[in-house]
Amino acid sequence: MLDLYKPTISHIKDLGNDTYDIIISPCSKGISQIIGNSLRRILLSSIPGYAVTWVKISEVYHEFSSLNGSYQDSVEILLNLKKLGVCIVSDLDEVSTSIHCSGPMIITASEIEKVSPHIRVANPKHVIATLKKGGNLNMELKITRGYGFIPSSFYTQSQDIDRFPGYIPLDAFFNPILNVSFTVKELSCLVEELSLKIQTKGTILPKKAINIAMIYFYEQLSVLKNLEPFNEDKKENVSKTEVPTVLSKSINDLDLTVRSANCLKAQNIYYLRDLVKYSESDLMSIPNLGKKSLNEIKAILLGLDLFLGMSEKKK
């Protein structure tokens, strides 16, 4: 059997500004490039994080409203909220909190931690707003756990918007990893060293981020561990009594990305029996559901011996 080197995390160096240099070695020649590319893509797309998704500011009814008593207008305050590095330290997926301040004062992100014990702010000195003398700012925030990027238009086009009158939805960049790059150093003709440079929001430790990425990577590849020949007869002989059970499966149990699941739920698709009624063109007409989400859904259905458009089209 070919003798391959087994890499480990040999060194983690804090470069400041929430940036870390991680040394992974020894790697067999060529493996460093595979590990580096794979980790970079997963770290930038599939690590769960937190972001402010909804904001309600007293006497502000949309993002372009004027705000008395503040040096910043509503747009600037909302942009400042998008740059918050926040995380929920409990098992909750959503936490609502508030800020109530009177001027003159500089309102920083540390005000959020003072109100809720469930929230930790990585950049407590980050300025949210500056109040004039006599100015007041009363603000409610909703912090949510998620993956990747979800634009504010996702919320405005869903039915949930009617449940939160006065709330302003924000573009949400959940990923706690801001940037990833890597270099490969040749130690010998057979051995390499991988240097991974990671910049985070300060809400996750680099070693934990790599651990999550590798678990995700392993889960995606584990299906190839025990390959079996495809049996067409086995597919055709699926018991008819099993189909209704499979179709009763919830969308929440399909391991969909948060974006794909939210798009389906916004369309009142909660079970497989609802999903398989849709054709590809029907799904593509759902707001914010793109080709990548469609391919993800089709792959999951294929694994369950199902496909889109199984029953009559929706009337």
Side-chain angles (χ1 to χ4, degrees), residues 7 24 27-41 181-186 191-196 217:
I24 302 174
C27 300
S28 298
K29 192 169 183 64
I31 296 296
S32 299
Q33 200 75 24
I34 296 172
I35 296 175
N37 271 319
S38 302
L39 278 177
R40 182 178 182 276
R41 286 180 174 273
S181 62
F182 70 92
T183 56
V184 176
K185 179 181 179 182
E186 188 174 296
V191 184
E192 295 174 339
E193 177 184 88
L194 173 64
S195 176
L196 201 65
F217 192 34

Side-chain angles (χ1 to χ4, degrees), residues 2 6 15 20 104 144 154 174 180-181 228 242 268 283 293:
L2 185 63
K6 188 174 182 180
L15 303 178
Y20 302 87
T144 310
F154 170 81
F174 293 104
V180 181
S181 62
E228 294 182 3
E242 293 179 6
N268 293 321
L283 283 184
S293 296

Side-chain angles (χ1 to χ4, degrees), residues 34-186:
I34 296 172
I35 296 175
N37 271 319
S38 302
L39 278 177
R40 182 178 182 276
R41 286 180 174 273
I42 296 172
L43 286 168
L44 290 174
S45 66
S46 306
I47 307 299
Y50 303 87
V52 179
T53 52
W54 293 87
V55 182
K56 185 176 183 179
I57 305 175
S58 179
E59 299 181 1
V60 172
Y61 303 103
H62 55 81
E63 60 183 304
F64 302 109
S65 297
S66 60
L67 186 61
N68 295 325
S70 171
Y71 286 102
Q72 293 87 2
D73 57 22
S74 301
V75 173
E76 289 181 276
I77 292 176
L78 296 179
L79 288 173
N80 290 337
L81 290 174
K82 291 180 186 181
K83 297 176 183 177
L84 282 176
V86 293
C87 64
I88 300 175
V89 294
S90 62
D91 294 331
L92 300 172
D93 287 334
E94 290 183 355
V95 170
S96 295
T97 186
S98 59
I99 296 175
H100 303 284
C101 297
S102 299
M105 72 172 295
I106 298 174
I107 302 174
T108 62
S110 61
E111 297 294 328
I112 298 174
E113 284 186 320
K114 295 177 182 178
V115 177
S116 177
H118 301 290
I119 299 172
R120 183 177 73 83
V121 179
N123 50 347
K125 295 182 180 180
H126 177 67
V127 176
I128 298 174
T130 304
L131 297 181
K132 303 174 184 178
K133 185 176 181 180
N136 296 293
L137 181 64
N138 298 302
M139 180 191 303
E140 296 178 29
L141 309 172
K142 183 180 178 184
I143 297 170
T144 310
R145 184 178 187 269
Y147 293 85
F149 174 79
I150 296 182
S152 60
S153 58
F154 170 81
Y155 301 101
T156 57
Q157 293 175 7
S158 72
Q159 295 178 351
D160 286 344
I161 190 69
D162 297 327
R163 295 167 46 198
F164 304 104
Y167 278 78
I168 302 171
L170 296 182
D171 295 327
F173 179 59
F174 293 104
N175 202 317
I177 309 298
L178 296 176
N179 192 25
V180 181
S181 62
F182 70 92
T183 56
V184 176
K185 179 181 179 182
E186 188 174 296

Side-chain angles (χ1 to χ4, degrees), residues 190-204:
L190 296 176
V191 184
E192 295 174 339
E193 177 184 88
L194 173 64
S195 176
L196 201 65
K197 189 176 180 181
I198 301 177
Q199 183 180 12
T200 75
K201 291 182 179 179
T203 56
I204 190 171

Side-chain angles (χ1 to χ4, degrees), residues 273-289:
R273 61 172 174 267
D274 304 320
L275 177 58
V276 296
K277 294 178 183 178
Y278 282 73
S279 65
E280 288 192 25
S281 58
D282 290 334
L283 283 184
M284 288 299 290
S285 65
I286 296 176
N288 301 306
L289 194 145

